[in-house]
Amino acid sequence: IRNTEKAPGAKMLPVLFWYLKVCRAVLIAIHSEFCYSIFIKNHVYRKQHRKDKMMYLIAGLGNPTREYDKTRHNVGFSVIDVLADKYNIDVSDRKHKALCGRGVIEGEKVLLLKPQTFMNLSGESVAELLHYYKIDPEEELLVIFDDISLAPGNIRIRKKGSAGGHNGIKNIIAMTGTENFKRIKVGVGEKPAGWDLADHVLGHFDAADRVEVEKAIGHAVEAAEMMITGETDAAMNRYNVKKKEE
């Protein structure tokens, strides 16, 4: 006669299997939640760590030597000079083909830069410093330069863009591999009819234009302060308006 009686505990096997499956699912959920929380914590830490290490590179473009001091092409240098004076930053350290100085502006760490490569090779200096200090050009680079399409007294802020015919910006784009960096254009006026462009941008302002340009330099300083503290849009709204003709 066949014994059909189940072995002791056989009735408990389905329940045991179900219990083990539930335990496994719970363990997987706990492990997943633990890994996710670690990921989030690390992401937040890395983001905060990056912010703590963040340093802005503010580069004003121009040509070295006294011959070009205060010329139209050197208004970028002039803005850097005013920033350096206002925040007591010594821009006399000669390295990476530039004059530069580190300091703090509106609570943000900055590196002020005046490339000494002459205008058309400005990117060599900028790229070297970006690499040396591990600065992200698309987040932490601000370039200030002259623009003949703007009248003296006007400035124009852009978050990115092409060189627009400016050789200094063209070289920065070529050397950094991106055109997605912030910039402030300072108006120096169009060249007079019949003039050579080089003669115009390497020339000095007349007395009337000098007054307007000094105002624009002050506005560029204020715009730079706003931009490094995350107020680029507000700066654009404030300054990207043509000065009304008097």
Side-chain angles (χ1 to χ4, degrees), residues 44-90:
V44 171
Y45 170 77
R46 285 197 302 269
K47 190 173 182 180
Q48 184 61 43
H49 182 63
R50 177 62 189 154
K51 182 170 177 58
D52 291 341
K53 292 188 68 177
M54 183 177 286
M55 180 167 66
Y56 291 91
L57 174 59
I58 305 178
L61 305 190
N63 288 310
T65 75
R66 288 187 178 182
E67 177 184 355
Y68 302 104
D69 188 38
K70 304 296 184 182
T71 59
R72 294 180 180 87
H73 228 15
N74 275 38
V75 291
F77 278 12
S78 297
V79 176
I80 295 297
D81 290 340
V82 175
L83 278 168
D85 184 62
K86 183 175 181 179
Y87 291 95
N88 196 29
I89 301 173
D90 182 14

Side-chain angles (χ1 to χ4, degrees), residues 28-240:
I28 290 173
I30 292 173
H31 181 262
S32 298
E33 182 66 24
F34 174 75
C35 291
Y36 179 73
S37 66
I38 293 297
F39 169 78
I40 293 297
K41 287 179 181 178
N42 284 342
H43 177 72
V44 171
Y45 170 77
R46 285 197 302 269
K47 190 173 182 180
Q48 184 61 43
H49 182 63
R50 177 62 189 154
K51 182 170 177 58
D52 291 341
K53 292 188 68 177
M54 183 177 286
M55 180 167 66
Y56 291 91
L57 174 59
I58 305 178
L61 305 190
N63 288 310
T65 75
R66 288 187 178 182
E67 177 184 355
Y68 302 104
D69 188 38
K70 304 296 184 182
T71 59
R72 294 180 180 87
H73 228 15
N74 275 38
V75 291
F77 278 12
S78 297
V79 176
I80 295 297
D81 290 340
V82 175
L83 278 168
D85 184 62
K86 183 175 181 179
Y87 291 95
N88 196 29
I89 301 173
D90 182 14
V91 186
S92 62
D93 193 5
R94 290 184 174 272
K95 59 183 178 181
H96 303 289
K97 304 175 185 175
L99 289 175
C100 52
R102 297 176 64 174
V104 176
I105 294 177
E106 298 298 316
E108 301 291 341
K109 291 181 286 187
V110 300
L111 177 65
L112 300 183
L113 173 69
K114 295 165 67 173
Q116 300 294 289
T117 55
F118 286 91
M119 180 65 80
N120 292 359
L121 298 177
S122 299
E124 293 183 2
S125 174
V126 171
E128 282 191 22
L129 280 156
L130 290 173
H131 177 73
Y132 184 82
Y133 287 103
K134 295 179 173 58
I135 294 172
D136 181 356
E138 298 191 356
E139 296 291 335
E140 302 155 347
L141 173 62
L142 172 60
V143 183
I144 306 169
F145 59 100
D146 60 295
D147 190 332
I148 62 171
S149 68
L150 296 174
N154 291 333
I155 69 170
R156 185 66 53 84
I157 298 163
R158 289 285 183 263
K159 294 181 180 179
K160 59 182 179 179
S162 65
H166 194 284
N167 289 332
I169 296 299
K170 187 183 298 182
N171 191 244
I172 291 174
I173 292 172
M175 296 300 294
T176 62
T178 182
E179 59 181 30
N180 298 326
F181 55 84
K182 300 177 184 70
R183 63 208 58 189
I184 300 173
K185 306 176 182 183
V186 181
V188 298
E190 295 182 350
K191 73 179 183 67
W195 277 48
D196 180 75
L197 179 59
D199 291 337
H200 176 63
V201 297
L202 298 179
H204 292 81
F205 297 100
D206 61 29
D209 282 351
R210 185 77 244 178
V211 172
E212 296 301 320
V213 168
E214 288 298 331
K215 293 177 184 177
I217 289 171
H219 291 159
V221 166
E222 293 168 3
E225 294 166 343
M226 295 176 70
M227 293 170 77
I228 67 171
T229 54
E231 297 185 62
T232 299
D233 288 336
M236 293 175 71
N237 290 334
R238 178 179 297 181
Y239 295 111
N240 285 3

